[in-house]
């Protein structure tokens, strides 16, 4: 079985690590890195830390408007698919890399495998939502991380080859958490105490592309007195500079460069609370039982909202501050599988090949 895997963003590298590890025991995999995340702290370090094989193809597409970026990816991926003639093309999540890979494969009649299928925020203003829907509707195998995803697909009349196999990101956390404790020095390097800081990640376009929303979020950070650490996404940093916003004036805020996966696991697991707009960080917070506040109007990870493990607040300053200061005692459930999603994916594909 020959699989061509398309990756482009930080969370996709994390998701691919456990699957590639299992897949390559018995099958052939080639990796295309589109270059959607091209900063070394957002890309190279993840391949090194997670022991993901070096990409076979580096497309170097970089940033750009959605149409331009997706179009460039499609043209380059098409050449590789025609050259390699894979049995399957595998994509992860909901980025432009995901959409580009899935559309090329579908048009060339190469079966698409979508890992993290069935997620819905039900907000089509989010580019990620469009990417998810379109990818699911052209995929041959749909691996959902939760039962909610299976139900969402059924509601769109997608029932063939749909499997709830759990979340591959949970596989990655279980595999790497102990290693992170041994190797990461991010707390010492930034003078942070365990459970003595709030962790911030903000990068979604619906937040960063609106100057008023960013001002609301930063006003909230100013009103939260405790230490806050923010590994800032390059795109967010550039946007704030374009807006002329100086975040150095926010009290107690430590802005640091993007960190690798092991450092991020350490920052998440030791945080008092997390403030984010990232889908992946919402889940990592849940896996490691750290209360989360999500600065979005909707979330595709509805399971995390139970018992206030994750509080969805939107972008109003007062609501953000209230949620961060609120004392919560969440109950965490095993809604994301048993940490063996990668094994299940490979077993299902191998069995299908034999039949």
């Amino acid at each position: 079985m020959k699989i061509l895997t398309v990756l482009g963003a930080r969370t996709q590298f994390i998701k691919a690590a456990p699957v590639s590890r299992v897949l390559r025991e018995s099958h052939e995999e080639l990796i295309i890195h589109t270059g959607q995340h091209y900063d070394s702290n957002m890309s190279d370090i993840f391949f090194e830390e997670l022991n993901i094989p070096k990409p076979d193809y580096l497309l170097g597409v970089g940033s750009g408007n959605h149409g331009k970026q997706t179009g460039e990816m499609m043209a380059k991926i098409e050449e590789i698919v025609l050259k390699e003639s894979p049995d399957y093309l595998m994509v992860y999540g909901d980025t432009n890399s995901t959409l580009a890979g899935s559309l090329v494969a579908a048009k060339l009649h190469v079966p698409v495998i979508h890992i993290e299928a069935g997620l819905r925020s039900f907000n089509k203003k989010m580019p990620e939502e469009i990417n998810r829907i379109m990818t699911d509707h052209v995929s041959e195998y749909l691996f959902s991380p939760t039962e909610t995803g299976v139900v969402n697909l059924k509601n769109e009349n997608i029932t063939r080859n749909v499997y709830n196999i759990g979340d591959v990101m949970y596989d990655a956390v279980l595999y790497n958490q102990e290693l992170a404790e041994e190797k990461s020095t991010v707390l010492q390097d930034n003078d942070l105490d365990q459970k003595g800081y709030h962790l911030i990640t903000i990068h979604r376009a619906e937040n960063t592309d609106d100057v008023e929303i960013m001002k609301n979020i930063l006003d909230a950070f100013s009103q939260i007195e405790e230490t806050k650490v923010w590994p800032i996404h390059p795109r967010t940093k550039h946007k704030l500079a374009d807006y002329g916003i100086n975040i150095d004036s926010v009290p107690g805020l430590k802005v640091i460069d993007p960190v690798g996966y092991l450092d991020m696991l350490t920052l998440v697991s030791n945080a008092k609370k997390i403030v984010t707009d990232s889908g992946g960080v919402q889940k990592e917070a849940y896996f490691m039982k750290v209360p989360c506040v999500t600065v979005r109007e909707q979330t595709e990870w509805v399971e995390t909202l139970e018992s206030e493990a994750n509080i969805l607040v939107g972008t109003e300053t007062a609501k953000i501050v209230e949620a961060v200061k609120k004392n919560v005692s969440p109950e965490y459930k095993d809604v994301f599988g048993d940490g063996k999603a990668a094994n299940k994916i490979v077993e299902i594909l191998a069995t299908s090949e034999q039949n």
Side-chain angles (χ1 to χ4, degrees):
M1 182 167 61
K2 181 178 181 180
I3 291 181
L4 194 59
T5 297
V6 177
L7 306 174
R10 167 192 180 274
T11 54
Q12 292 172 335
F13 310 146
I14 296 168
K15 295 165 193 170
V19 178
S20 290
R21 190 161 47 242
V22 177
L23 183 63
R24 288 174 182 243
E25 291 176 358
S26 306
H27 306 282
E28 181 182 1
E29 181 191 34
L30 298 173
I31 293 177
I32 299 173
H33 183 352
T34 65
Q36 185 169 341
H37 276 176
Y38 49 88
D39 183 279
S40 62
N41 285 343
M42 301 293 289
S43 176
D44 295 349
I45 192 169
F46 286 90
F47 282 87
E48 294 164 8
E49 289 186 344
L50 295 169
N51 293 320
I52 306 171
K54 292 292 184 183
D56 299 276
Y57 294 94
L58 288 166
L59 305 189
V61 172
S63 60
N65 294 332
H66 288 287
K68 180 177 183 291
Q69 185 185 61
T70 306
E72 286 186 16
M73 289 177 185
M74 289 182 67
K76 294 182 177 183
I77 293 170
E78 183 178 56
E79 292 179 3
I80 298 167
V81 173
L82 290 170
K83 174 186 173 184
E84 296 291 350
S85 299
D87 297 308
Y88 301 96
L89 185 137
M90 183 180 289
V91 293
Y92 292 80
D94 55 19
T95 68
N96 288 341
S97 299
T98 308
L99 179 62
S102 61
L103 288 179
V104 167
K107 287 177 176 289
L108 294 176
H109 308 294
V110 175
V112 177
I113 301 164
H114 187 199
I115 297 176
E116 212 172 68
L119 302 185
R120 298 292 183 268
S121 68
F122 303 101
N123 177 7
K124 289 186 179 179
K125 291 183 179 179
M126 294 176 61
E128 296 87 355
E129 184 77 353
I130 302 300
N131 294 346
R132 292 177 196 128
I133 293 170
M134 294 185 70
T135 299
D136 282 340
H137 280 265
V138 299
S139 292
E140 178 68 19
Y141 287 91
L142 301 101
F143 294 109
S144 175
T146 65
E147 190 57 35
T148 302
V150 174
V151 172
N152 288 339
L153 291 169
K154 186 177 181 181
N155 289 339
E156 295 175 17
N157 296 315
I158 302 173
T159 57
R160 182 173 175 271
N161 290 335
V162 173
Y163 302 91
N164 174 11
I165 44 81
D167 198 310
V168 291
M169 283 191 76
Y170 189 36
D171 292 26
V173 167
L174 293 178
Y175 186 86
N176 289 289
Q177 195 166 11
E178 188 173 329
L179 185 64
E181 291 174 1
E182 291 176 7
K183 291 193 171 184
S184 175
T185 61
V186 69
L187 297 186
Q188 300 92 308
D189 294 344
N190 292 283
D191 195 24
L192 299 170
D193 297 324
Q194 291 181 333
K195 303 301 178 183
Y197 62 91
H198 299 305
L199 175 64
I200 294 167
T201 76
I202 301 291
H203 76 276
R204 291 273 182 181
E206 63 264 32
N207 288 333
T208 60
D209 287 358
D210 189 315
V211 63
E212 294 305 319
I213 286 177
M214 289 306 296
K215 285 180 179 179
N216 287 348
I217 293 171
L218 291 169
D219 283 346
F221 295 162
S222 294
Q223 294 178 37
I224 298 164
E225 297 171 355
E226 295 139 302
T227 299
K228 301 162 289 286
V229 60
W230 187 356
I232 196 162
H233 192 288
R235 185 177 181 280
T236 306
K237 187 175 183 178
H238 293 151
K239 282 288 182 180
L240 291 173
D242 290 344
Y243 299 146
I245 295 175
N246 181 10
I247 54 178
D248 294 338
S249 61
V250 177
L253 181 62
K254 293 188 175 186
V255 177
I256 63 176
D257 290 333
V259 296
Y261 183 56
L262 298 183
D263 281 345
M264 191 62 182
L265 283 184
T266 301
L267 287 172
V268 170
S269 63
N270 288 285
K272 180 178 180 181
K273 194 167 281 190
I274 293 169
V275 184
T276 189
D277 61 7
S278 162
V281 174
Q282 289 175 59
K283 284 190 299 176
E284 287 168 346
Y286 195 90
F287 298 156
M288 291 184 269
K289 298 180 171 57
V290 178
C292 185
V293 174
T294 296
V295 187
R296 281 166 54 182
E297 299 297 336
Q298 303 92 7
T299 179
E300 56 275 24
W301 301 109
V302 294
E303 297 84 0
T304 66
L305 300 178
E306 293 184 20
S307 74
E308 296 186 309
N310 182 15
I311 301 175
L312 200 62
V313 294
T315 57
E316 291 183 22
T317 299
K319 289 183 178 180
I320 298 170
V321 173
E322 180 185 0
V324 173
K325 291 184 176 181
K326 186 175 184 178
N327 290 321
V328 294
S329 299
E331 178 186 354
Y332 296 90
K333 300 178 181 178
D334 295 330
V335 292
F336 292 103
D338 57 6
K340 297 178 180 178
N343 296 77
K344 294 172 185 175
I345 289 167
V346 176
E347 286 172 9
I348 290 168
L349 293 174
T351 301
S352 298
E353 278 283 289
Q354 295 167 5
N355 294 336

